[in-house]
Amino acid sequence: MNTFTLGISRKQVLEMIPEQAIHKIHVGELVVALVRIAEDFHAFQADCPHRGTSLFQGSIINQNEIICPLHEYRFDFKTGQVKAGSCGNLEVYPTELTEEGLKIFLSPE
Ligand code: FES
């Protein structure tokens, strides 16, 4: 599993990433979406599993769901589960906030 570290400290990450917004993180060729809820960070695929629309223009609801802007399918960004709509689940990437920064554990290539 590939691990990417964002930032250089816990404090810096918390200052750099505001809550309730969808942040774009470039990890090499991969673009990952990142949402912060309090001190929990959730990383997931940036394009909708339905038709590939960018989720950066999506909406966050209920502290755990993102709504795709195109057909309004809903996904739980903590588990990846599709909550409304008929398509595959969202790919999610585990994260861990450490004193060295935010670790994002990416799937193997
Ligand atoms: S492209 Fe996202 S719901 Fe259709």
Side-chain angles (χ1 to χ4, degrees), residues 42 64 75-83 89-92:
H42 305 282
N64 70 330
F75 303 90
D76 184 327
F77 58 73
K78 294 183 178 179
T79 66
Q81 185 179 20
V82 59
K83 304 294 280 188
N89 291 332
L90 195 63
E91 186 166 7
V92 295

Side-chain angles (χ1 to χ4, degrees), residues 8-79:
I8 57 170
S9 71
R10 174 189 185 89
K11 181 173 183 280
Q12 185 209 30
V13 170
L14 290 171
E15 288 172 356
M16 183 171 60
I17 307 287
E19 290 191 64
Q20 300 282 341
I22 307 164
H23 304 277
K24 185 182 284 188
I25 306 294
H26 292 269
V27 184
E29 305 262 307
L30 186 66
V31 178
V32 171
L34 182 69
V35 171
R36 173 184 168 197
I37 306 289
E39 292 197 5
D40 293 328
F41 290 82
H42 305 282
F44 49 95
Q45 77 179 81
D47 51 333
C48 180
H50 181 222
R51 294 279 166 82
T53 295
S54 169
L55 292 173
F56 294 110
Q57 301 304 317
S59 305
I60 303 286
I61 60 164
N62 300 334
Q63 305 275 306
N64 70 330
E65 291 183 13
I66 184 163
I67 304 175
C68 177
L70 190 56
H71 306 109
E72 301 185 341
Y73 285 13
R74 291 189 292 120
F75 303 90
D76 184 327
F77 58 73
K78 294 183 178 179
T79 66

